[in-house]
Amino acid sequence: MTDLLHLLLRERQPRSVESLALALQLPRETVAMQLDALRSLGCTFDEHPQRGVLLTTSGLATWAEAIEHLSPRRVEVYRSTASTQDIARRWTEDGAVVVADEQTAGRGRLGRRWMAPPGSALLVSYVSTLPAANHDQITAAAAVAVAEAIEGLAVTPVRLSIKWPNDLLAAGRKLAGILVERHAAAAVIGIGINVAAAPDTIDDATCLRQIGIDADRLLVLLEVLRQFDRRMADAATGGHAAAWRARCLAITEPVRLRSDGRIVEGEVLDVDPSHGLIVRTTTGQIIHLPAATTGRV
Ligand code: BTN
């Protein structure tokens, strides 16, 4: 059944039961039964008497198995939870994943709230056990992974940029955000991607649908995980640095920042995938400001 779901997620045209059976090398009756099983797990279809079936929404009840099918890992899927970060923070298995349809206390960087109407966004936390990679490296590698996953889903090419440290932008509008929280043995990487709607709580937000990507959230999630499994492995060695630099927007205007509780004013000389912002302060000092504790004021 999960092979069938993986196939249907990528289809843009209706497929007959016969052609699905042929592609999966299964009897027609088995495919018909699997389609019924998917319906009973909440999947919905456009049904065309002549042309066949087109998946319109994957049921949440199919997600855990579909994720484990990509590669075995610990997975939990919630209809509603406070924050996926709070569940994943207790875990230490590399690649483990927590997903929710809705969060009642989703959070962003530096204590901000992250709001998304139920069903509109992909809300996921990914556990990475990378003792060697620092916070900036993990944030940068995660941003590259999410950008590559989304671009890979576009039929008409799109190019995403990274606004340091953790925002993914499409044509200047926020499409996704990343939150890295470190715990004893692991980093928990929270990813919020606006899929079907842009939250009205953020100025200048957009969503995948608005930029022409009409993909089911499960498909977006599978592509994100595929890129994460690849990119996180080389976060510590800087394998993502060139891809990150190519997407990172330059900060050219003078900045006023809060870093670790103090205010810093100056100009950004460089944005570095391992060391954060390199700033010349108004008093002429050159300092590094890490992503974990730095934000604009
Ligand atoms: C930001 O833009 O500041 C980061 C947003 C990160 C949001 C995601 S949604 C899944 C995970 N759980 C949370 O509570 N936050 C992250």
Side-chain angles (χ1 to χ4, degrees), residues 84-85 124-126 177-181 188-192:
T84 54
Q85 295 290 98
V124 48
S125 294
Y126 178 101
I178 290 158
L179 169 69
V180 177
E181 295 178 326
V188 178
I189 305 157
I191 307 137

PDB file of all heavy atoms in Angstrom, residues 84-85 124-126 177-181 188-192:
ATOM      1  N   THR A  84       6.016  20.484  18.056  1.00  0.00           N
ATOM      2  CA  THR A  84       6.745  19.244  17.714  1.00  0.00           C
ATOM      3  C   THR A  84       8.136  19.250  18.338  1.00  0.00           C
ATOM      4  O   THR A  84       8.696  18.191  18.626  1.00  0.00           O
ATOM      5  CB  THR A  84       6.863  19.086  16.184  1.00  0.00           C
ATOM      6  OG1 THR A  84       7.453  20.281  15.646  1.00  0.00           O
ATOM      7  CG2 THR A  84       5.508  18.838  15.539  1.00  0.00           C
ATOM      8  N   GLN A  85       8.683  20.460  18.584  1.00  0.00           N
ATOM      9  CA  GLN A  85      10.013  20.566  19.186  1.00  0.00           C
ATOM     10  C   GLN A  85      10.042  19.925  20.582  1.00  0.00           C
ATOM     11  O   GLN A  85      11.024  19.312  20.979  1.00  0.00           O
ATOM     12  CB  GLN A  85      10.437  22.035  19.317  1.00  0.00           C
ATOM     13  CG  GLN A  85      10.637  22.774  18.012  1.00  0.00           C
ATOM     14  CD  GLN A  85      11.859  22.308  17.241  1.00  0.00           C
ATOM     15  OE1 GLN A  85      11.744  21.500  16.313  1.00  0.00           O
ATOM     16  NE2 GLN A  85      13.029  22.780  17.609  1.00  0.00           N
ATOM     17  N   VAL A 124       7.333  20.198  11.227  1.00  0.00           N
ATOM     18  CA  VAL A 124       8.100  18.989  11.484  1.00  0.00           C
ATOM     19  C   VAL A 124       9.348  19.304  12.321  1.00  0.00           C
ATOM     20  O   VAL A 124       9.925  20.384  12.204  1.00  0.00           O
ATOM     21  CB  VAL A 124       8.470  18.289  10.132  1.00  0.00           C
ATOM     22  CG1 VAL A 124       9.037  19.247   9.140  1.00  0.00           C
ATOM     23  CG2 VAL A 124       9.391  17.120  10.298  1.00  0.00           C
ATOM     24  N   SER A 125       9.708  18.371  13.159  1.00  0.00           N
ATOM     25  CA  SER A 125      10.978  18.464  13.891  1.00  0.00           C
ATOM     26  C   SER A 125      11.814  17.237  13.543  1.00  0.00           C
ATOM     27  O   SER A 125      11.290  16.113  13.526  1.00  0.00           O
ATOM     28  CB  SER A 125      10.751  18.514  15.402  1.00  0.00           C
ATOM     29  OG  SER A 125      10.086  19.700  15.747  1.00  0.00           O
ATOM     30  N   TYR A 126      13.080  17.471  13.279  1.00  0.00           N
ATOM     31  CA  TYR A 126      14.000  16.418  12.830  1.00  0.00           C
ATOM     32  C   TYR A 126      15.160  16.372  13.821  1.00  0.00           C
ATOM     33  O   TYR A 126      15.745  17.407  14.145  1.00  0.00           O
ATOM     34  CB  TYR A 126      14.495  16.784  11.429  1.00  0.00           C
ATOM     35  CG  TYR A 126      15.494  15.857  10.791  1.00  0.00           C
ATOM     36  CD1 TYR A 126      15.078  14.930   9.831  1.00  0.00           C
ATOM     37  CD2 TYR A 126      16.856  15.930  11.091  1.00  0.00           C
ATOM     38  CE1 TYR A 126      15.986  14.092   9.201  1.00  0.00           C
ATOM     39  CE2 TYR A 126      17.764  15.091  10.474  1.00  0.00           C
ATOM     40  CZ  TYR A 126      17.329  14.179   9.532  1.00  0.00           C
ATOM     41  OH  TYR A 126      18.240  13.349   8.904  1.00  0.00           O
ATOM     42  N   GLY A 177      10.499  28.662   7.668  1.00  0.00           N
ATOM     43  CA  GLY A 177      11.431  29.074   8.712  1.00  0.00           C
ATOM     44  C   GLY A 177      12.023  27.848   9.384  1.00  0.00           C
ATOM     45  O   GLY A 177      11.407  26.773   9.391  1.00  0.00           O
ATOM     46  N   ILE A 178      13.210  28.028   9.932  1.00  0.00           N
ATOM     47  CA  ILE A 178      13.916  26.916  10.577  1.00  0.00           C
ATOM     48  C   ILE A 178      14.314  27.340  11.984  1.00  0.00           C
ATOM     49  O   ILE A 178      14.743  28.475  12.202  1.00  0.00           O
ATOM     50  CB  ILE A 178      15.164  26.554   9.742  1.00  0.00           C
ATOM     51  CG1 ILE A 178      14.717  25.895   8.434  1.00  0.00           C
ATOM     52  CG2 ILE A 178      16.112  25.629  10.496  1.00  0.00           C
ATOM     53  CD1 ILE A 178      15.729  25.968   7.345  1.00  0.00           C
ATOM     54  N   LEU A 179      14.138  26.419  12.914  1.00  0.00           N
ATOM     55  CA  LEU A 179      14.486  26.695  14.314  1.00  0.00           C
ATOM     56  C   LEU A 179      15.375  25.567  14.802  1.00  0.00           C
ATOM     57  O   LEU A 179      14.944  24.414  14.840  1.00  0.00           O
ATOM     58  CB  LEU A 179      13.191  26.733  15.142  1.00  0.00           C
ATOM     59  CG  LEU A 179      13.346  26.758  16.655  1.00  0.00           C
ATOM     60  CD1 LEU A 179      13.946  28.095  17.097  1.00  0.00           C
ATOM     61  CD2 LEU A 179      11.993  26.552  17.335  1.00  0.00           C
ATOM     62  N   VAL A 180      16.608  25.880  15.188  1.00  0.00           N
ATOM     63  CA  VAL A 180      17.512  24.840  15.686  1.00  0.00           C
ATOM     64  C   VAL A 180      17.627  24.990  17.195  1.00  0.00           C
ATOM     65  O   VAL A 180      17.958  26.067  17.700  1.00  0.00           O
ATOM     66  CB  VAL A 180      18.912  24.955  15.033  1.00  0.00           C
ATOM     67  CG1 VAL A 180      19.867  23.915  15.603  1.00  0.00           C
ATOM     68  CG2 VAL A 180      18.802  24.796  13.516  1.00  0.00           C
ATOM     69  N   GLU A 181      17.341  23.910  17.908  1.00  0.00           N
ATOM     70  CA  GLU A 181      17.477  23.909  19.366  1.00  0.00           C
ATOM     71  C   GLU A 181      18.381  22.743  19.731  1.00  0.00           C
ATOM     72  O   GLU A 181      18.115  21.603  19.345  1.00  0.00           O
ATOM     73  CB  GLU A 181      16.095  23.778  20.028  1.00  0.00           C
ATOM     74  CG  GLU A 181      15.221  24.985  19.742  1.00  0.00           C
ATOM     75  CD  GLU A 181      13.819  24.883  20.333  1.00  0.00           C
ATOM     76  OE1 GLU A 181      13.265  23.772  20.401  1.00  0.00           O
ATOM     77  OE2 GLU A 181      13.268  25.925  20.706  1.00  0.00           O
ATOM     78  N   VAL A 188      17.685  19.521  17.639  1.00  0.00           N
ATOM     79  CA  VAL A 188      16.327  19.339  17.125  1.00  0.00           C
ATOM     80  C   VAL A 188      16.071  20.477  16.148  1.00  0.00           C
ATOM     81  O   VAL A 188      16.135  21.657  16.512  1.00  0.00           O
ATOM     82  CB  VAL A 188      15.290  19.342  18.259  1.00  0.00           C
ATOM     83  CG1 VAL A 188      13.880  19.206  17.680  1.00  0.00           C
ATOM     84  CG2 VAL A 188      15.569  18.204  19.219  1.00  0.00           C
ATOM     85  N   ILE A 189      15.830  20.094  14.899  1.00  0.00           N
ATOM     86  CA  ILE A 189      15.678  21.095  13.844  1.00  0.00           C
ATOM     87  C   ILE A 189      14.195  21.183  13.507  1.00  0.00           C
ATOM     88  O   ILE A 189      13.595  20.220  13.013  1.00  0.00           O
ATOM     89  CB  ILE A 189      16.492  20.690  12.600  1.00  0.00           C
ATOM     90  CG1 ILE A 189      17.943  20.461  13.014  1.00  0.00           C
ATOM     91  CG2 ILE A 189      16.387  21.761  11.526  1.00  0.00           C
ATOM     92  CD1 ILE A 189      18.699  19.562  12.080  1.00  0.00           C
ATOM     93  N   GLY A 190      13.605  22.318  13.817  1.00  0.00           N
ATOM     94  CA  GLY A 190      12.190  22.535  13.526  1.00  0.00           C
ATOM     95  C   GLY A 190      12.059  23.213  12.180  1.00  0.00           C
ATOM     96  O   GLY A 190      12.785  24.170  11.870  1.00  0.00           O
ATOM     97  N   ILE A 191      11.120  22.721  11.392  1.00  0.00           N
ATOM     98  CA  ILE A 191      10.927  23.271  10.054  1.00  0.00           C
ATOM     99  C   ILE A 191       9.445  23.589   9.901  1.00  0.00           C
ATOM    100  O   ILE A 191       8.586  22.731  10.131  1.00  0.00           O
ATOM    101  CB  ILE A 191      11.316  22.237   8.967  1.00  0.00           C
ATOM    102  CG1 ILE A 191      12.720  21.717   9.229  1.00  0.00           C
ATOM    103  CG2 ILE A 191      11.197  22.826   7.565  1.00  0.00           C
ATOM    104  CD1 ILE A 191      12.827  20.229   9.044  1.00  0.00           C
ATOM    105  N   GLY A 192       9.149  24.797   9.525  1.00  0.00           N
ATOM    106  CA  GLY A 192       7.773  25.180   9.234  1.00  0.00           C
ATOM    107  C   GLY A 192       7.722  25.668   7.796  1.00  0.00           C
ATOM    108  O   GLY A 192       8.418  26.627   7.438  1.00  0.00           O
TER     109      GLY A 192
END
